[in-house]
Amino acid sequence: MPRRRTHADTALFIIFLIWLASDFKNPDSISVINSISFLLGSILPDILEPPYHFSHRGFFHSWKMLGIVAISIIISMIIANIIWSIFKSDILFPVITLFIGYAIHLLLDSTSKMGLPKE
């Protein structure tokens, strides 16, 4: 079972790769906020359902929740695109990165021996 530290380390590694690929020498505040949001999303399932014992995975660690998160990413991206085209505002980007971090947490958990519960 991946531990919270594993999820945080994975998120930090992904953030590092994105920043490296983007050649961020002086990141703006929204980049930092998105990175923090992504990191929070990557540990959020374990905050909602703390891993006090081996079988701690319930609804917030389930395939259903992964589906809800995937739909939330799509809807958030559509709304963010509309808001961007009208107001030129990237206010929803941290929400999207939070959902993506959450999804990556669940995908990591799905690769463990225990996997994700169906419900």
Side-chain angles (χ1 to χ4, degrees):
M1 146 173 73
R3 299 197 168 119
R4 185 179 299 179
R5 173 78 190 218
T6 304
H7 293 298
D9 288 347
T10 302
L12 289 171
F13 181 69
I14 291 170
I15 290 167
F16 170 75
L17 290 178
I18 291 169
W19 283 36
L20 190 64
S22 302
D23 196 27
F24 281 152
K25 292 187 170 72
N26 295 314
D28 58 354
S29 61
I30 195 68
S31 300
V32 173
I33 291 169
N34 284 335
S35 298
I36 292 169
S37 176
F38 181 79
L39 181 60
L40 177 63
S42 73
I43 60 171
L44 188 58
D46 285 339
I47 293 171
L48 296 172
E49 289 175 341
Y52 293 129
H53 52 80
F54 183 71
S55 61
H56 77 279
R57 296 180 184 162
F59 176 74
F60 293 108
H61 280 88
S62 68
W63 286 105
K64 272 187 185 177
M65 190 63 188
L66 183 57
I68 291 169
V69 169
I71 290 168
S72 299
I73 291 169
I74 293 167
I75 291 171
S76 297
M77 290 176 77
I78 292 169
I79 294 170
N81 192 21
I82 293 168
I83 290 173
W84 177 259
S85 65
I86 296 171
F87 302 108
K88 302 295 185 233
S89 172
D90 50 9
I91 194 165
L92 278 184
F93 289 4
V95 173
I96 296 168
T97 56
L98 179 95
F99 286 138
I100 292 171
Y102 198 111
I104 288 176
H105 178 111
L106 295 181
L107 290 172
L108 279 173
D109 279 355
S110 73
T111 64
S112 69
K113 206 181 260 190
M114 188 174 147
L116 294 179
K118 303 247 188 264
E119 306 242 350

